[in-house]
Amino acid sequence: MEKPRQGFAGMWNVSFGFFGIQIGFALQNANMSRIFQSLGEDIEKLPGLWVAAPLTGLLVQPIIGHMSDRTWLGRLGRRRPYFLAGALLATIALFLMPESPSIWFAAMMLWVLDASLNISMEPFRAFVGDMLRKDQHSIGYAVQTAFIGAGAVVGSLFPALMEAAGVANVAPPGQIPDTVRYAFWFGGLALFLAVLWTVVSTSEYTPAQMAAFEPANADDAPAGRALASRSHIGNVGWIAAGLAVILIQVEFALLREVLLLGTLLIGYGLASMIAIALARRGYEKNMLSSIVGDFAGMPPLMKRLAAVQFFSWSALFIMWINTTPIVAQYHFGTTDAASAVYQAAGNWVGELFAIYNGVAAVAALTLLPWLSRHLGQARTHMVGLTCGAIGFASFFLLRDPTQLIFSEIFIGIFWASVLAMPYAILASSLPQAKLGIYMGLFNIFVVIPQLLVATVMGSIMQAFFPGEPIYTMAFAALALMMALAAMARVDTASITQ
């Protein structure tokens, strides 16, 4: 039995909530470094403050994926309860963020905001797979990417639009400009209303209907069952690696954020040991054993795509953290976060982010489908990765702020590809019953590289390029070349075109 084919209106409703979610992410990505520096933080400490974003994703997404696969709340459905809960919490965080009286309050609100956005976002990835036929996955994720791009354009432009409306773009030292404050408030309202649209305009297939569309198979068995036969040797290795990282941090006096990386490695080793012990005692259906088991048993195609995601999102996180200080220092000639020139640079970064997201929205519906038909999904993504490397490398060559539009066009094509192609490739190859947990686990390879950037990049920059954030763009371009090499290993024969 096949799912009904969705028309344009159905695809619109399924993904429209992502328009609002991305407004929230865009406000966060374009303005958090600006907020932290406006509150008096040093540039070298920005990666450590940004660690909240990937850490919450690492913890939240697999849990929400696991839970949403097993949720059914009657008329509210499987994924939509998480859309609604996350949107409500994110809206509250967006309203409180610009009222931050201190750096640590802003950092705490970033934790709340990113966790809430992840609660809504992760089930949306699985929602497309739930609601669409496999032969519609490519166009479905392209439509979702278009909404992501459109929402990011709106979110990125909010501060500049506020300034154009006469709102003050400069604040006394230690305070956040009104342009940013009002942008977060309007963005919070837009986020909630967009997600609410998807919640009220869609109706999910019942568990019985989903079972009819795709009968259960061996892949649907509890993942924890396979853990009972696994050895603890690999987990001892994770713990040893974490201890080594902590010892290196102490020995070389690296930034304290590196301790978090070591702690996470130790934590994963211990969690895996506990999961194996529970499985051996017959408790293979608990959440921890299920998540660890599914992570250990990822399909080969998913593992290869995970390597591509790892390097791709390393580059993106570098961009989000460093673009504002780079543009302010090298294109506007200031490092004074309290100056009018710096705040003008911050608004220009918002406009640049709007450009790359606008390009992504258009490319998702035009360029990517055309390339996919002619080159296939894997080669299309390779083109996108190449465009991203060109965009990041061009920051070294361009000094006129308006010339950075050229960079953002290439980055926009890359952004469209990274949001659509890996998920379209993956969704068509996964069992429906585990689509939520696998999408959540796949997104681990979105957040792990961000954690590495947040914990390690500050130490690298402090040791080798102090006060020179432009060199982070070299790391971003190199990361995308590594992603391109990893993408070349994806088995195109196994991918539905």
Side-chain angles (χ1 to χ4, degrees), residues 234-471:
N235 299 322
V236 172
W238 287 111
I239 295 172
L243 291 172
V245 169
I246 292 173
L247 290 173
I248 290 171
Q249 190 278 336
V250 174
E251 178 67 23
F252 295 99
L254 302 179
L255 295 180
R256 287 179 297 175
E257 288 79 13
V258 177
L259 291 174
L260 177 61
L261 178 60
T263 303
L264 287 172
L265 292 173
I266 294 171
Y268 176 73
L270 292 174
S272 296
M273 285 184 169
I274 295 171
I276 291 172
L278 289 172
R280 288 176 178 176
R281 291 172 178 263
Y283 301 110
E284 71 272 3
K285 292 186 178 181
N286 66 86
M287 182 186 297
L288 179 61
S289 294
S290 294
I291 292 175
V292 172
D294 281 321
F295 185 75
M298 288 187 298
L301 176 64
M302 184 173 169
K303 292 179 181 178
R304 292 184 177 183
L305 284 171
V308 180
Q309 292 291 84
F310 177 89
F311 292 113
S312 300
W313 285 86
S314 295
L316 285 164
F317 201 60
I318 287 171
M319 176 185 72
W320 291 328
I321 293 176
N322 294 288
T323 300
T324 295
I326 287 172
V327 172
Q329 182 172 338
Y330 294 94
H331 301 87
F332 282 74
T334 184
T335 57
D336 181 4
S339 68
V341 175
Y342 181 94
Q343 298 301 334
N347 277 5
W348 179 237
V349 169
E351 294 179 48
L352 290 175
F353 281 18
I355 289 169
Y356 89 71
N357 281 290
V359 169
V362 175
L365 296 178
T366 56
L367 179 62
L368 293 187
W370 183 85
L371 287 175
S372 186
R373 286 194 300 271
H374 290 81
L375 301 178
Q377 293 173 336
R379 290 190 180 91
T380 296
H381 194 41
M382 292 174 75
V383 171
L385 294 167
T386 302
C387 287
I390 293 171
F392 289 126
S394 67
F395 270 75
F396 282 88
L397 304 175
L398 306 176
R399 284 295 177 264
D400 184 337
T402 58
Q403 292 176 345
L404 294 177
I405 293 173
F406 169 86
S407 307
E408 300 304 321
I409 291 172
F410 280 88
I411 292 172
I413 296 171
F414 159 60
W415 181 230
S417 187
V418 82
L419 289 174
M421 303 315 299
Y423 294 98
I425 293 169
L426 192 63
S428 298
S429 66
L430 294 177
Q432 186 69 54
K434 289 190 174 184
L435 195 54
I437 180 59
Y438 275 135
M439 284 295 181
L441 291 172
F442 191 55
N443 281 327
I444 286 179
F445 299 97
V446 170
V447 298
I448 285 179
Q450 297 178 45
L451 276 171
L452 286 173
V453 170
T455 55
V456 176
M457 184 60 70
S459 294
I460 293 174
M461 293 303 297
Q462 190 176 65
F464 298 103
F465 309 106
E468 298 289 345
I470 188 70
Y471 286 100

Side-chain angles (χ1 to χ4, degrees), residues 27 30-31 34-35 38 94 98-99 154-172 175-187 339-340 342-348 350-351:
L27 287 167
N31 293 283
R34 179 181 184 180
I35 288 173
S38 294
L94 285 168
E99 296 300 309
V154 173
S156 299
L157 285 177
F158 261 137
L161 293 174
M162 294 295 101
E163 184 182 24
V167 178
N169 193 48
V170 180
Q175 296 185 27
I176 299 168
D178 285 343
T179 49
V180 176
R181 178 176 287 108
Y182 295 158
F184 273 62
W185 293 346
F186 282 115
S339 68
Y342 181 94
Q343 298 301 334
N347 277 5
W348 179 237
E351 294 179 48

